[in-house]
């Protein structure tokens, strides 16, 4: 299968060897009262990508592709949250503090769940990650290797933090990565634009980018 519209040049992949990786589409980042807002961000900006991400998720499931969801999540005793992360900046609530959606960025809390509309389906991989990257201190690489995955399609939030970090980690592990432009968002539009540019610069130094519609069209084309 080929995404002709991909940048900086067409992206070839096989559904059976490709996973859709949706990064951190959690209430903690997407809704008021969560981690994103405690850092001073306008979380309403992120809602814009939900329809495109949902359309891609539905089509990818329909095609039988592997789906991976990640959550930035710490264990209840915060033993996987370095003080340098917890103490950084001047948030209104720190990781582990009790907020309106439960303890901020702690696994199992209401705010830590993926938003309902993109909730994982039975059998899909869900990775709880203590870092920004999806490969750091998780079993993701082994799970993908076991399934013969060579290509990753990325969406999720935020573009320049957890999405970009995960893409760079994936790139170093040998995956051909593509970022779905309208399925990722940042609290800072300029950072999103810069990330898309830097990913595909220098002949796709980190990977490709393409609109979600290009993937939908490719999946609809007869084989
Ligand atoms: C952040 C993330 N922004 N999921 N996490 O702290 O990008």
């Amino acid at each position: 299968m080929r995404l002709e519209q991909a940048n900086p040049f067409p992206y070839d992949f096989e559904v059976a060897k490709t996973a859709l990786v949706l990064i951190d589409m959690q209430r903690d980042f997407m809704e008021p009262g969560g981690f994103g807002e405690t850092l001073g961000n306008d979380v309403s900006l992120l809602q814009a990508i939900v329809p495109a991400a949902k359309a891609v998720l539905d089509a990818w499931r329909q095609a039988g592709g592997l789906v991976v969801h990640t959550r930035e999540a710490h264990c209840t005793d915060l033993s996987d949250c370095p003080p340098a992360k917890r103490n950084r900046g001047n948030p209104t609530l720190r990781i582990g503090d009790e907020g309106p959606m439960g303890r901020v960025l702690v696994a199992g809390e209401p705010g830590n769940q993926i938003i309902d509309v993109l909730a994982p389906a039975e059998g899909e991989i869900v990775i709880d990650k203590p870092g920004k990257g999806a490969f750091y201190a998780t079993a993701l690489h082994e799970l993908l290797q076991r399934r013969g995955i060579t290509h990753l399609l990325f969406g999720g939030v935020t573009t320049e933090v957890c999405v970009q970090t995960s893409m760079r980690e994936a790139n170093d592990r040998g995956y051909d990565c593509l970022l779905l432009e309208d399925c990722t968002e940042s609290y800072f539009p300029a950072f999103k634009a810069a990330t898309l540019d830097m990913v595909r610069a220098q002949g796709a130094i980190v990977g490709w980018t393409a609109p979600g519609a290009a993937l939908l069209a490719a999946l609809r084309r007869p084989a």
Side-chain angles (χ1 to χ4, degrees), residues 24 29 35 72 132 157-158 161-162:
D24 300 359
F29 294 106
F35 186 60
E72 189 170 342
K132 302 303 183 195
V157 298
T158 59
V161 185
C162 290

Side-chain angles (χ1 to χ4, degrees), residues 48-66:
I49 62 164
V50 173
K54 171 75 173 135
V56 161
L57 178 59
D58 287 347
W60 192 249
R61 283 172 173 161
Q62 186 76 29
L66 180 68

